[in-house]
Amino acid sequence: MPTGHLGDRRQRTSRSFRIGAILVTVSLGLVGCTSGPSKTPSRQTSTPESGRSSTSTTVTSGPAAKLIEPPGPISAHPALLDEASAACRRAGAADITLCAGTVDAEVWGLPLVIESNLRDFLACLARVNILDNAVKLAGPDSTSVAYPNDDTLYSTAFLDLRAGPQLLSVPPASGRYVDFQLLDMYTNTIADVGVLTGGGHGGTYAFVGPGWHGTIPKGAVRIDVPTPDAWLLGRTQVKGPADLFAAVGLEAQYSLTALPGHGSGTTGGPSTLACPAPALPASTSLGFLADLEKDMAADPPAAADGPVVQAMAAAGIGPGRTPGATSSGNVAGYLKALRLGASLLARAAGEGTRIWTGYTRGAVVGSYGTDYLERARLAEEAPGTQVPAQAVYFGASRARSGTTATSLAGTRSYGIRFPAGDLPPHGTDGFWSITLYNAAGFLVANPIGRYSIGDETPGLVRGADGSLTVVVSPSRPAETEVNWLPAPTGAFSLVLRVYDPAPQVLDGSWFPPVIQAIS
């Protein structure tokens, strides 16, 4: 999910974190594949007779999805250090060391605090090390989190590996996208277990915490996790309403169990899990720094984070410290610096000029290395963003009207025209969809119960020239044969998801067509 800033949605409060984009709902009352060798990705088109995908032009295979995701680009001197210092100088901060270290803390620590809070919320309902499978797709009543998709069922578990590894077992899968994304507590993707990385064969995977020593079962694949806590997020494709029963049946074969026997040596501090889940503090408050320090002790940072962690320590921020405890002057300095950090994030994600925003070639997404600004932006907007080899997201909140761009709103109708042979290209293990959300980021009730359109939508209609046009409007179009995506009367946004994206998507040579206002 993860949606590439979700339709250019840039408004940020002082700290109302939007934990959205990926979990459909906490389902407690709370990618296509084949077994065998990897397949060559193909451009997908749709036939007017069936509305289902068919393969046409074959494309060259792109970067392969990886079981173990390497870290993003790492710099010995992360750019955040200079950006924080520059922001503090521009603001005339009296103590540059305190100010810059605090800005570093807000940007660097935002993902950790967000994910720890999300863990508290979900684990207090389902407990840690319990895999919870959604059994229905998202709908207008799915308001637990924003920007859900209605293409996949989500499986989710927060792991506590202090007592030993957890074993994930998945069955062979065929004919649908399946992926289990494993994230550390800093929102970096550690591994992807699924059809793009295992050929649909299934298997058992041992998630091992840092410093653990022991023996995993024969045949299990060991995956080392750098933090004692971790997030497991599964996605199982549902290919239309008639396929839901089969998808739920596949989910029933997933299992997450503790490794029998004993091991030793897991590093990290005690878990900070607290139930009921405490309220998430504003990122511009001292409470945010207090939470950050506790979360850092529980899930220590990576060695590559050393330069930023040192800058934070110089500002009096880190495990066992209490910023602002020494003087009221320091309190004012911390609070001013936290506001600067929020401004830095907002400015970095500022308005662009394109109708569609999101993925660009070479973007650091899903595994961030030392690109802390990008990590923080996506953690705030879309925690759980997948790496591009698994899925690419484009968001839109504007359309072209003549020579200007205007906000999407239900007072007008819009058209998205895909020329013949130019639907979102993906591999044979993938699919695409366009989903509509209201201003709050939720699906919209409508007369036909349709919340998205994609290559698995029954009855897609083609133009005489082979093109496919999606009409987005609040009322049913006059034409009877039309690909209608119902819109609300107010503001809304769109998200285009491409799973198992073809090389044209990854290298930027394919981009979504412009959304045109048509009335």
Side-chain angles (χ1 to χ4, degrees), residues 1-4 6 9 16-25 114 118 142-149 154 231 233 235 377-385 393 437 440-442 497:
M1 156 195 186
T3 59
L6 303 171
R9 190 179 160 275
S16 55
F17 293 144
R18 175 71 73 182
I19 298 179
I22 36 177
L23 291 178
V24 175
T25 167
I114 288 175
L118 180 58
S142 303
T143 57
S144 297
V145 294
Y147 299 98
N149 76 49
Y154 286 104
W231 184 14
L233 183 58
R235 297 168 173 87
R377 286 199 300 268
L378 284 175
E380 188 175 26
E381 290 286 355
T385 298
Y393 311 87
Y437 302 96
F442 302 125
R497 296 172 170 91

Side-chain angles (χ1 to χ4, degrees), residues 107-404:
V107 175
W108 176 88
L110 199 59
L112 175 60
V113 174
I114 288 175
E115 191 168 329
S116 296
N117 183 266
L118 180 58
R119 182 274 316 274
D120 290 354
F121 173 69
L122 295 182
C124 287
L125 294 173
R127 294 182 295 151
V128 296
N129 301 330
I130 298 293
L131 185 64
D132 184 70
N133 298 314
V135 295
K136 69 174 185 176
L137 293 170
D141 59 343
S142 303
T143 57
S144 297
V145 294
Y147 299 98
N149 76 49
D150 72 332
D151 306 307
T152 69
L153 296 172
Y154 286 104
S155 302
T156 189
F158 270 93
L159 311 180
D160 184 343
L161 304 174
R162 292 171 179 82
Q166 290 286 313
L167 301 178
L168 172 70
S169 294
V170 294
S174 179
R176 72 179 73 247
Y177 177 86
V178 175
D179 179 63
F180 277 87
Q181 178 189 12
L182 180 67
L183 302 97
D184 68 16
M185 291 302 285
Y186 294 83
T187 71
N188 293 296
T189 300
I190 302 305
D192 280 289
V193 172
V195 297
L196 299 189
T197 59
H201 297 297
T204 299
Y205 300 83
F207 303 137
V208 179
W212 184 84
H213 299 285
T215 302
I216 63 172
K218 184 178 181 180
V221 178
R222 176 173 175 146
I223 297 177
D224 290 296
V225 184
T227 52
D229 298 292
W231 184 14
L232 183 64
L233 183 58
R235 297 168 173 87
T236 301
Q237 182 188 6
V238 178
K239 306 173 84 170
D243 184 53
L244 179 61
F245 182 78
V248 171
L250 182 64
E251 283 187 317
Q253 300 176 62
Y254 305 153
S255 69
L256 182 68
T257 57
L259 176 65
H262 301 283
S264 63
T266 302
T267 59
S271 172
T272 59
L273 174 63
C275 295
L280 192 63
S283 69
T284 51
S285 71
L286 294 182
F288 168 80
L289 295 179
D291 275 12
L292 173 60
E293 291 163 352
K294 290 185 293 185
D295 295 335
M296 286 176 66
D299 291 287
D305 298 335
V308 169
V309 172
Q310 291 171 16
M312 292 162 50
I317 300 170
R321 299 169 183 265
T322 309
T326 56
S327 72
S328 58
N330 279 354
V331 168
Y334 284 121
L335 294 176
K336 181 178 180 180
L338 288 169
R339 290 192 293 270
L340 281 177
S343 298
L344 184 63
L345 276 171
R347 185 164 59 249
E351 295 284 349
T353 58
R354 299 185 302 180
I355 297 300
W356 291 97
T357 63
Y359 176 79
T360 56
R361 180 179 181 177
V364 177
V365 179
S367 183
Y368 304 96
T370 55
D371 190 344
Y372 302 123
L373 275 168
E374 184 66 8
R375 188 178 74 176
R377 286 199 300 268
L378 284 175
E380 188 175 26
E381 290 286 355
T385 298
Q386 291 175 280
V387 296
Q390 288 285 340
V392 165
Y393 311 87
F394 301 96
S397 61
R398 292 178 291 174
R400 185 71 59 197
S401 179
T403 59
T404 62

